[in-house]
């Protein structure tokens, strides 16, 4: 027996089996937290796949066409998010590099304090992401 989405999202449990469809911890954390965790999971999978840590998913082994469709859509969300994050990171890096390369003589003064802060934050975020990927690679080996 498979529970409906309505049964999964409520506390009532499955009508046929009489048991709760979800573990208590999942019900307690709430739908928003579950969605956030799912988004982070699929985005992380996309980054790991691009880094060569994971192979591309082989959806042909999923027996249900409907499940294959939804799994494909779920993975597409992660790919799209990873692409957007990479673009934003590249944009921040180029802004930081331009700010560093501008000499005070060539511009109308030193880079603004806001630009220096943005550059430092972008470099810190990138270093943190690289460190997390490095640690993940080491754990998976």
């Amino acid at each position: 027996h498979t529970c409906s989405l309505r049964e999964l999202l409520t506390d009532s449990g499955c009508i046929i089996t009489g048991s709760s469809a979800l573990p208590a911890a999942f019900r307690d954390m709430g739908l928003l937290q579950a969605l956030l965790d799912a988004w982070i999971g699929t985005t992380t999978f996309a980054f790991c796949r691009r880094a060569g840590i994971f192979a591309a998913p082989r959806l042909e082994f999923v027996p249900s066409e409907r499940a294959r469709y939804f799994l494909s859509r779920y993975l597409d969300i992660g790919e799209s998010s990873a692409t957007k994050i990479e673009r934003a990171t590249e944009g921040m890096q180029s802004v930081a590099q331009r700010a560093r390369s501008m000499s005070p003589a060539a511009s109308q003064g030193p880079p603004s304090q806001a630009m220096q802060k943005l550059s430092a934050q972008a470099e810190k975020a990138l270093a943190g992401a690289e460190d997390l990927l490095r640690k993940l690679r080491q754990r998976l080996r």
Side-chain angles (χ1 to χ4, degrees), residues 57-72:
R58 301 198 46 200
L59 298 179
E60 65 270 13
F61 292 114
V62 176
S64 166
E65 186 176 331
R66 178 176 276 180
R68 211 173 22 254
Y69 170 77
F70 283 114
L71 185 56
S72 170

Side-chain angles (χ1 to χ4, degrees), residues 69-126:
Y69 170 77
F70 283 114
L71 185 56
S72 170
R73 294 287 304 263
Y74 171 71
L75 294 170
D76 287 345
I77 290 169
E79 290 293 332
S80 172
S81 296
T83 299
K84 289 175 184 176
I85 290 169
E86 284 177 343
R87 277 195 218 137
T89 302
E90 289 168 1
M92 286 191 298
Q93 285 176 328
S94 69
V95 166
Q97 197 150 12
R98 274 187 272 147
R100 262 187 260 123
S101 67
M102 288 175 51
S103 69
S107 65
Q108 297 174 343
S112 71
Q113 193 173 18
M115 190 60 113
Q116 290 173 345
K117 188 175 180 180
L118 175 66
S119 175
Q121 288 175 342
E123 288 174 358
K124 187 176 179 181
L126 182 61

Side-chain angles (χ1 to χ4, degrees), residues 13-28:
C14 292
I15 296 169
I16 294 174
T17 64
S19 65
S20 177
L22 297 174
F26 187 82
R27 285 191 315 267
D28 293 344

Side-chain angles (χ1 to χ4, degrees), residues 1-5 7-8 13-15 17 19 21:
H1 165 71
T2 305
C3 294
S4 71
L5 181 60
E7 291 168 332
L8 287 174
C14 292
I15 296 169
T17 64
S19 65

